[in-house]
Amino acid sequence: MKKIEAIIRPSALQRLLEAIKIVGYSGITVMEVQGHGKQRGITESYRGQKIESLLSKILIYVVVRDKDVSKIIKAICQAIRTGEIGDGKIFVSPVVTAVRVRTGEKGEKALL
Amino acid sequence: MKKIEAIIRPSALQRLLEAIKIVGYSGITVMEVQGHGKQRGITESYRGQKIESLLSKILIYVVVRDKDVSKIIKAICQAIRTGEIGDGKIFVSPVVTAVRVRTGEKGEKALL
Amino acid sequence: MKKIEAIIRPSALQRLLEAIKIVGYSGITVMEVQGHGKQRGITESYRGQKIESLLSKILIYVVVRDKDVSKIIKAICQAIRTGEIGDGKIFVSPVVTAVRVRTGEKGEKALL
Amino acid sequence: MKFFNSKSNYLKWIWNISYSVIGLLILLPNTSFAQTTSGASSTISSGDTAWVLVSAALVMLMTPALGLFYGGMVRQKNVLSTILQSFFLLAAISVQWVIIGYSLAFSPGNDFIGGLSWAFLRGAGVPNPSAPTIPGLAFVMFQCMFAAITPALISGSFAERIQFKGFVFFSLLWTTLVYDPICHWVWGGGIFEKMGALDFAGGTVVHMSSGFSALVLALLLGSRIGYGKNPMIPHDLTLVLTGASLLWFGWFGFNAGSALGANALAANAFMTTNTAAAVAALTWCCLEALHKDKASSLGAASGAVAGLVAITPACGYVDIVGAILIGIVASLVCYNAILLKLRFKYDDSLDAFGIHGIGGTWGALATGLFATQWVNSHGNNGLFYGNPHQFLVQLKTVAATALYATVMTLILFWIVDKTVGMRVSAKEEEIGLDLSQHGEEAYRY
Amino acid sequence: MKFFNSKSNYLKWIWNISYSVIGLLILLPNTSFAQTTSGASSTISSGDTAWVLVSAALVMLMTPALGLFYGGMVRQKNVLSTILQSFFLLAAISVQWVIIGYSLAFSPGNDFIGGLSWAFLRGAGVPNPSAPTIPGLAFVMFQCMFAAITPALISGSFAERIQFKGFVFFSLLWTTLVYDPICHWVWGGGIFEKMGALDFAGGTVVHMSSGFSALVLALLLGSRIGYGKNPMIPHDLTLVLTGASLLWFGWFGFNAGSALGANALAANAFMTTNTAAAVAALTWCCLEALHKDKASSLGAASGAVAGLVAITPACGYVDIVGAILIGIVASLVCYNAILLKLRFKYDDSLDAFGIHGIGGTWGALATGLFATQWVNSHGNNGLFYGNPHQFLVQLKTVAATALYATVMTLILFWIVDKTVGMRVSAKEEEIGLDLSQHGEEAYRY
Amino acid sequence: MKFFNSKSNYLKWIWNISYSVIGLLILLPNTSFAQTTSGASSTISSGDTAWVLVSAALVMLMTPALGLFYGGMVRQKNVLSTILQSFFLLAAISVQWVIIGYSLAFSPGNDFIGGLSWAFLRGAGVPNPSAPTIPGLAFVMFQCMFAAITPALISGSFAERIQFKGFVFFSLLWTTLVYDPICHWVWGGGIFEKMGALDFAGGTVVHMSSGFSALVLALLLGSRIGYGKNPMIPHDLTLVLTGASLLWFGWFGFNAGSALGANALAANAFMTTNTAAAVAALTWCCLEALHKDKASSLGAASGAVAGLVAITPACGYVDIVGAILIGIVASLVCYNAILLKLRFKYDDSLDAFGIHGIGGTWGALATGLFATQWVNSHGNNGLFYGNPHQFLVQLKTVAATALYATVMTLILFWIVDKTVGMRVSAKEEEIGLDLSQHGEEAYRY
Ligand SMILES: Nc1ncnc2c1ncn2[C@@H]1O[C@H](COP(=O)(O)OP(=O)(O)O)[C@@H](O)[C@H]1O
Ligand SMILES: Nc1ncnc2c1ncn2[C@@H]1O[C@H](COP(=O)(O)OP(=O)(O)O)[C@@H](O)[C@H]1O
Ligand SMILES: Nc1ncnc2c1ncn2[C@@H]1O[C@H](COP(=O)(O)OP(=O)(O)O)[C@@H](O)[C@H]1O
């Protein structure tokens, strides 16, 4: 199993959710984060105090079977790519096991 | 070391915190997320615009020694299982090392 | 590639961001979390109902090349250590791959 | 899921309302306002009118302010439903009042209830006898705002677990069958007025009636799921403080406006209101500092509201010393009433009983202690000014109000619960009322 | 990036403003206030003055309240820009009004526009003939607040995609060339007044003018990026409810204050205003319950505002029956107007047209239906009281207002778009107006 | 931890307060209100009374509004403590005022301070000579609200690092020993009044006194930990805008209410207040646009408040031209004062000195420039109207106020710091005052 984390523009969330649903995963977790990559923030100013803002991003996170990883990545890229800086990043990391609390099922069965 | 992530109902947070404390871990991180699994959201409607809501969930995250993983999972399941859809998921993933910033201690010593 | 997660005091965020920038990473993700470690919360009370508060923390997360891991850890510790309880923790975990959505680049190229 | 299948109930409800509205419209001659602008306008004081109109606006603001005050105290998933309970009642009772409520409360009737002769504000073009210097409609609207806020006060007790439909039906019935009659007893020429009871701005009729009904509802509905185990903690205290501040602001209209003119009595009510609120806020903070070593913002706000509640019946009858003592004791009794709740484990979610029931009772009794004709020659002296009789009268009204509100709420709860339903399902409660009852979420990134 | 290079535009703007202000200051003799405090003070009624001053303050509060109402409905990244649009206009129009707007609207002129003779409030030391019992400046300030809120209403249609500079220029031009003339037509002795049109508190001049201009702007600016695909959902409904509540509160000043005195007419306007708002809120909730099985808090707030809009022109001419019917129909038409938007896919972001354009039109027409001299002997009867002529007059004013507002907005949009620019770039829109236009973020941990 | 061990301090405090209250209660005869409602009621104007009562309510609202304005500007962990500082003072000073403050400020005394003869409002049943047309208690309460907001203004300078206990003690002492005397100098028949100083609504007594004390406190308390390194940025600008809007709204009561009647002078003050606020908001936005290419919402709000501060002493003496110029210069000086802070690196957290100290000084001086008897025949002409003497008088009062406030604050800080303690520990500051001082958190999911 792998955990796929995508850090994206807030406005791309809907398209991403649909893309993932189509691949067949209903379990999805979303969180509000801030960040910057190549795309830098804008200078903010409050009564003379200046700071560089971080940008609001959405982190969407889905744990999938190993064999679905590349399918999901492709689906995500297609759904949200605009070609502009700020499109986002995807990180894939290993997951040892998963548990469905309700039933106690373990492993890939717990995912779907 | 393993990282245990549990995505649960907000109302189960207290019971979970206590369960983990009993196993002997004081270090815990909690974040507010949204998601859906088998349990789907509800249709929201705003002046005619409709969307399907995500549900508010809590992601609780604790890094533990390898040998404590199954103890923790068991404790979590016991504490928060209701048998209803929406009980949540647990994901376990590997952690290479941990550092306590205050002292610079590394590895399992840094956990407790 | 490794994912470095640091859970720190909110007031240390600026120093941390600068430290990471100096090591050469512009891609950074920040999220607001709550937690406790050795440092416990304070008792809150609302019309007689008491709870122990969790403390507000910042989780900062950066994915780096394997060879930069120890540099980054050192930089973080230097930047934010006060020697007091509550300085925070760093966790390092493996990342299988990274993708830049804009270009489709994979692996370490996608990081910088 | 159950809450997706209730269309038929709504339909029935809409039908019933439309039916009665249209029916009444046909029955009514359109002459309801004959000569509003002329009439005995020579006796109208523009200063008094300005003050009462402003006061009506201030009291109107209190109902949504209460929504914010309560809304900040619930969990995030229920904030809209809580604010909406107040906001919706402002709308619903405003309509009920002009159609039938005003008539039931103020038109000539027997000792217990008015008649229907002033329905649809017929005859409200001339000044009400109890406010001869202002236009009749100014009095109607001032009183309307009292009727709107009273059932909204109750909503503190059943927050986070009531069905919206059940809430609407219950509140409309309650206002018609509990508030309107008690209002008639106190201010509409009814039994309390005849007994010589003193209630300047609504200790019994507003706060006790709602407070005791709130207790009954909390008991009948049962506790929220997880009550006592999971913390149920205010989700936004800045909202609570904003609401409390606007309540304090609006309460000047409530209390000083009840002088029904811009005069020395209004100024006295203004002063006692502000003083009691301030003293009670300080007292509550002191109690907290003693008990748990820290004064809190929720405490300061709670104290202020407790003081405002307690001074309400007394504000036009007592002087500064009375106001100070009423304020101190208000916080003492309400603070402890709230702790009692924790002991007896009933779930009066936002302490509607602890503050309005207890505070209102104390205020009504205190009026019988501290009232003095030095302040208001149309009032009476209280026990401490040599007139124990007044205290007895107050005692009787307190008992009657508590009893009537309790019994009626039992009956109305039973009726609504059997027909429309009162409590949401466990799943709806878990999801939160905002989503399950209204299909909305309050906050979004 | 483009928005970093606009310094020169700002400089020009500041220069222009400073230039004209200083120029006018030099021209003006400093005697503009000769004997404010003496004069014909014998006819001044302190009660009426108190009421109108309070009303002016209440109406002032409506503009920021509108900002909150609208601000809660946009996405988080645009909340400050939305609130600021209202707040800034309060400042900008307050200055425009005392310098030139009041004169254009109210000073003697022709049928279409006033003159410049009352610029800088010259002569405002004596009571305005239409309000003989209050000081001239009280009338000026009361009217000032109307001028400030009207362009702010428009901002609901172009929220989330307009340049701040373009917005400022457009709004100042619009107020001077659209609001001020129409105000003159209706209340300043102009053509509508001569035709005998009835508009008690601004159905045409405030709501229709802004509503139709809003529609034009929404069409000309185009939809927000992603409109129809991504949900564009209120980010904080507690803010929306707070704003709506304060609007309702302030509207008593708007409508009942328009009686320009504390009298029975003001009380009538107060009652009809509250009743229509309440009825409309209930109606909207019922429609929602029918359509989607759940009444929502956004719906209740929208309904209340729709009712307040519709009763505005009628409040001092109709009785309770008129108010109830106006409220019911207001929600019916506005609710459906908003659904139309979804069908025709234009992006009136916050339904400025759907509520103010449609609601204002209905209100202006309804005044011609339900007005009755029983309520206001200085008014006239409407169609249902045997005077079809009045309805025709109202129809004409409605048509003229819609036409004039539409055409002028087309022209002004074109001018401002070509010079300063109206729409932000796609990147600025994505980032949000708070950051891109104001260099700020609303919320922070 | 230190903050868990302060029970004894609280106990002492409660004891002291109770002791004095009870002591005074025993000493006082209960006849304090002899014949409130009768007396010379023939001279009371209901219109003036209505206006002053409403104004008192409006000014009351300003104190919590200030709390929201300030509360939005601090970091999330300190928002409750900041709002509570204002809310608590509303309560604490309301009590101080009716017990002793009113007497110290207004009862007959010497040139520097009143006596104790009006303690517990004894004799307030008859109109105050300076407001003969309204009930005495209306004047008392109107003034009460001024006393409450003044120390709250200071709280902008020490936000995010002061102990609650220290804050409470300091504020009570400051009000009694700084505000009450200066109030006596200006309005209570004291030295400023005898010198012929003009201060219509409190430029010296409210804004300068608090502003200079704020500066002293900021310097003595030292900067917040991390000041200049970590950004300390408003956590919720919608709260700031809400607070600023309510302040603007309430300021009509503050300034126009200071006419103590509903008349042309009140209307003039209303107009100048609104105009100066509007002009200053625009000016601030222009300055920002010049400096950093973007006008901001925090800037607009700050400008409006600066304008309101500056017009306060002048509003009843100047005409529209004066108001415009005062507004422009207010933003110019306050904007730059705030930048100075960044240069000199003292930590006036929310610019209480930069806005109230500097703005108040400019307003007091400007009154000596622009005052004209055309506007207020009971006033005087200023320098620009041929009377340089008035400017000199204003200069003297400005100097005296700044000096007295500075010296007294130094002394009081020293006393409170040595006894109760003023600054929180570094750990408490890191955790935030909400948790460490009040055991609460503002927001929760
Ligand atoms: N190495 C990284 N580690 C953690 N988060 C990252 C990293 N790189 C990018 N991010 C996150 O991804 C978001 C989107 O990155 P983006 O600016 O679109 O990348 P790019 O410009 O390289 O395509 C950033 O705002 C940041 O939150
Ligand atoms: N495969 C997954 N990847 C990421 N998050 C998931 C996944 N499955 C479930 N979740 C998260 O766990 C939460 C709880 O899931 P739940 O509905 O209780 O699962 P189930 O119904 O299968 O027991 C979801 O709201 C979602 O946030
Ligand atoms: N084992 C762990 N698993 C997850 N999060 C942890 C763990 N230990 C600590 N944390 C997080 O790190 C934060 C900082 O810990 P801290 O109290 O500074 O640790 P210490 O006192 O051991 O130096 C905590 O608030 C918590 O959110």
Side-chain angles (χ1 to χ4, degrees), chain E residues 167-238:
Chain E
F167 156 78
V168 170
F169 275 85
F170 177 84
S171 299
L172 281 172
L173 287 172
W174 188 90
T175 305
T176 309
L177 300 176
V178 181
Y179 181 82
D180 292 347
I182 302 186
C183 182
H184 185 76
W185 304 352
V186 178
W187 295 320
I191 178 82
F192 284 9
E193 203 167 339
K194 289 193 177 142
M195 287 161 62
L198 297 180
D199 190 346
F200 197 75
T204 50
V205 49
V206 173
H207 296 292
M208 281 194 60
S209 70
S210 61
F212 280 85
S213 300
L215 177 62
V216 174
L217 283 177
L219 292 170
L220 293 177
L221 265 182
S223 300
R224 290 165 289 177
I225 296 172
Y227 180 65
K229 272 176 291 169
N230 290 330
M232 292 174 180
I233 295 288
H235 88 284
D236 186 349
L237 283 168
T238 68

Side-chain angles (χ1 to χ4, degrees), chain D residues 16-374:
Chain D
N16 288 335
I17 289 179
S18 325
Y19 184 81
S20 16
V21 167
I22 293 165
L24 279 161
L25 285 179
I26 291 166
L27 290 173
L28 271 183
N30 271 334
T31 53
S32 51
F33 277 106
Q35 282 154 298
T36 300
T37 47
S38 58
S41 70
S42 57
T43 69
I44 297 293
S45 151
S46 66
D48 290 351
T49 305
W51 175 238
V52 174
L53 287 179
V54 173
S55 293
L58 288 172
V59 182
M60 173 262 148
L61 187 61
M62 289 174 73
T63 302
L66 183 78
L68 300 183
F69 180 66
Y70 278 170
M73 270 192 266
V74 298
R75 288 164 293 170
Q76 205 181 87
K77 62 184 176 182
N78 298 314
V79 55
L80 293 180
S81 80
T82 304
I83 300 181
L84 187 57
Q85 280 162 8
S86 291
F87 191 88
F88 186 88
L89 283 182
L90 175 58
I93 305 304
S94 284
V95 177
Q96 186 267 4
W97 187 253
V98 295
I99 292 180
I100 199 173
Y102 175 67
S103 184
L104 288 178
F106 285 98
S107 76
N110 57 29
D111 276 2
F112 296 99
I113 188 126
L116 286 171
S117 51
W118 294 0
F120 277 89
L121 304 190
R122 209 186 311 208
V126 295
N128 187 295
S130 55
T133 64
I134 61 172
L137 284 176
F139 180 75
V140 169
M141 293 318 290
F142 181 65
Q143 284 294 338
C144 172
M145 301 311 172
F146 281 62
I149 198 171
T150 306
L153 293 171
I154 306 179
S155 67
S157 79
F158 50 61
E160 309 201 287
R161 61 191 183 284
I162 201 166
Q163 283 188 36
F164 186 62
K165 279 173 305 171
F167 156 80
V168 170
F169 276 85
F170 176 84
S171 299
L172 281 171
L173 287 172
W174 188 90
T175 304
T176 309
L177 301 175
V178 181
Y179 180 83
D180 292 346
I182 302 187
C183 182
H184 184 77
W185 304 352
V186 179
W187 295 320
I191 178 87
F192 284 9
E193 203 167 339
K194 290 194 176 142
M195 285 162 61
L198 298 179
D199 190 346
F200 197 75
T204 49
V205 49
V206 174
H207 296 291
M208 281 193 61
S209 69
S210 61
F212 279 84
S213 299
L215 178 62
V216 174
L217 282 177
L219 292 169
L220 293 177
L221 265 182
S223 300
R224 288 165 291 176
I225 296 172
Y227 180 66
K229 272 176 292 169
N230 292 330
M232 292 175 181
I233 295 288
H235 88 283
D236 186 350
L237 282 169
T238 68
L239 219 54
V240 173
L241 287 166
T242 304
S245 304
L246 289 175
L247 281 173
W248 190 329
F249 174 63
W251 226 293
F252 291 126
F254 204 91
N255 284 3
S258 290
L260 296 172
N263 47 38
L265 186 59
N268 186 76
F270 194 110
M271 182 278 292
T272 52
T273 300
N274 192 66
T275 302
V279 167
L282 294 186
T283 306
W284 198 292
C285 286
C286 291
L287 290 169
E288 286 190 322
L290 281 170
H291 257 205
K292 46 174 207 164
D293 202 46
K294 288 191 184 100
S296 75
S297 65
L298 180 60
S302 308
V305 173
L308 289 163
V309 167
I311 198 67
T312 296
C315 60
Y317 301 115
V318 304
D319 66 5
I320 183 176
V321 176
I324 290 174
L325 295 175
I326 287 174
I328 292 174
V329 177
S331 275
L332 283 172
V333 294
C334 293
Y335 187 91
N336 287 297
I338 285 176
L339 294 186
L340 271 192
K341 172 188 82 164
L342 295 177
R343 178 111 59 86
F344 291 121
K345 297 225 178 296
Y346 63 91
D347 184 11
D348 177 7
S349 319
L350 314 176
D351 299 307
F353 174 70
I355 292 199
H356 297 279
I358 299 295
T361 306
W362 159 241
L365 295 177
T367 309
L369 299 176
F370 299 110
T372 161
Q373 288 188 316
W374 291 119

